[in-house]
Amino acid sequence: MATLAGVSVGTASKALSGNGRMRPETRQRVLDAVQALDFRPNPQAQSLHTGRSWTVGLMTTDGIGRFSTPVLLGAEDALGAGKISVLLCDTRGDQIREQHHLGNLMDRRVDGIIVTGRRTDPRPPLTGVREIPVVYALSPSTDPADTSVVSDERHGCQLAVDYLLGSGRTRIAHVTGPAHHAAASDRARFTTSLLQQASLELSTGRVHFGDWSEAWGRRAADAVLRAAPDTDAIFCGNDQIARGVTDTLRERGVPVPEQVAVVGYDNWDTMTLAARPPLTTIDVDLVEIGRIAALRLLEAIDTNPSPGLHQVPCRLVVRESA
């Protein structure tokens, strides 16, 4: 290949790796020779030469992939441009399994690791990773010196509350998941604060904590209607709850959104599009979280880390429920 391009082996190597200074026409001759010969560099040889494996580990506790799959897709979008492969490891929330996968990734000499999960609760940092860069996506590290990429929960709640207020709703209830989950407690806190800033309070006088299920949404909707029949909007902590809320409202003859608007959270298509009517919701942009996490990891691999918390804005997706 170097002979066909009329350059030395060293120059050809620099042209392929993108390193070193050379005239554009020299680099193009090498690339033309590569195409003509259908040349493929040996990844093992490249790894020995550069000290990099061109692989990144992605560790998740999200066995069903509801949250980790979009994060993985976003990460691959960013890493694929650099021809870096991703090794996916499912820890299933088990510490022993996590250490097992971590050992395997280190044995494979991965260039870095992205850690993600199904919840937004902070998690302890990985132990024993030595000099391997680590970025936490969606589930931040408890160590502020680590790099974490998360959804901007306050921004998501602001989008929902502003939209409801802008459409004339003033009697807003909030139904969400378990109080001990960061996602539920944060969204409840931000929603209450935002309503207070508008000189309003929750229509029922309290947050309705429960679990992340349609069944809870159905029960909670009945509780809201009993406690505050004049409620004109229900902002839900996730889309499963919101779908259950719309089920109960429909069964009780309460038109949505004419009498009561419903807004969900997460933009999970399985729920939002199957609900009747389809749900207006907040998209936490998991793909973008994965993409940003991968970019931060690439920076750290290149010895230019960005420690601290990086927040990704949410998006309002308007459908027929509000």
Side-chain angles (χ1 to χ4, degrees), residues 66-68 70-72 74 138 151 266 283-291:
R66 160 72 186 92
F67 294 99
S68 64
V71 171
L72 173 62
L138 188 64
S151 172
D266 289 338
D283 191 329
V284 297
D285 212 344
L286 294 170
V287 172
E288 182 67 1
I289 289 174
R291 191 184 75 85

Side-chain angles (χ1 to χ4, degrees), residues 296-309:
R296 297 293 84 82
L297 185 64
L298 290 175
E299 292 173 354
I301 291 171
D302 291 334
T303 67
N304 185 30
S306 302
L309 198 65

Side-chain angles (χ1 to χ4, degrees), residues 188-322:
R189 175 165 48 88
F190 291 136
T191 299
T192 303
S193 173
L194 289 164
L195 288 175
Q196 288 173 347
Q197 292 175 26
S199 300
L200 296 172
E201 61 180 19
L202 293 167
S203 66
T204 62
R206 68 180 182 90
V207 174
H208 295 263
F209 291 105
D211 55 62
W212 304 112
S213 70
E214 294 174 70
W216 164 237
R218 289 191 286 270
R219 296 195 306 272
D222 268 332
V224 169
L225 294 176
R226 285 195 303 269
D230 60 343
T231 294
D232 59 13
I234 302 178
F235 176 32
C236 303
N238 80 346
D239 294 327
Q240 289 168 277
I241 294 172
R243 183 177 176 183
V245 165
T246 59
D247 287 346
T248 290
L249 294 176
R250 186 174 63 253
E251 292 168 3
R252 301 293 180 265
V254 178
V256 176
E258 292 80 6
Q259 184 173 332
V260 177
V262 178
V263 175
Y265 209 106
D266 289 338
N267 195 29
W268 186 12
D269 286 354
T270 302
M271 291 291 148
T272 58
L273 301 181
R276 297 169 55 195
L279 296 172
T280 292
T281 187
I282 301 300
D283 191 329
V284 297
D285 212 344
L286 294 170
V287 172
E288 182 67 1
I289 289 174
R291 191 184 75 85
I292 296 297
L295 292 177
R296 297 293 84 82
L297 185 64
L298 290 175
E299 292 173 354
I301 291 171
D302 291 334
T303 67
N304 185 30
S306 302
L309 198 65
H310 303 260
Q311 293 186 317
V312 175
C314 298
R315 294 187 298 112
L316 174 70
V317 181
V318 178
R319 297 192 180 93
E320 299 171 31
S321 69

Side-chain angles (χ1 to χ4, degrees), residues 28-46:
Q28 190 58 51
R29 287 207 314 273
V30 174
L31 296 178
D32 290 343
V34 166
Q35 186 172 8
L37 297 172
D38 194 24
F39 175 76
R40 291 182 177 274
N42 185 309
Q44 286 78 23
Q46 283 186 318

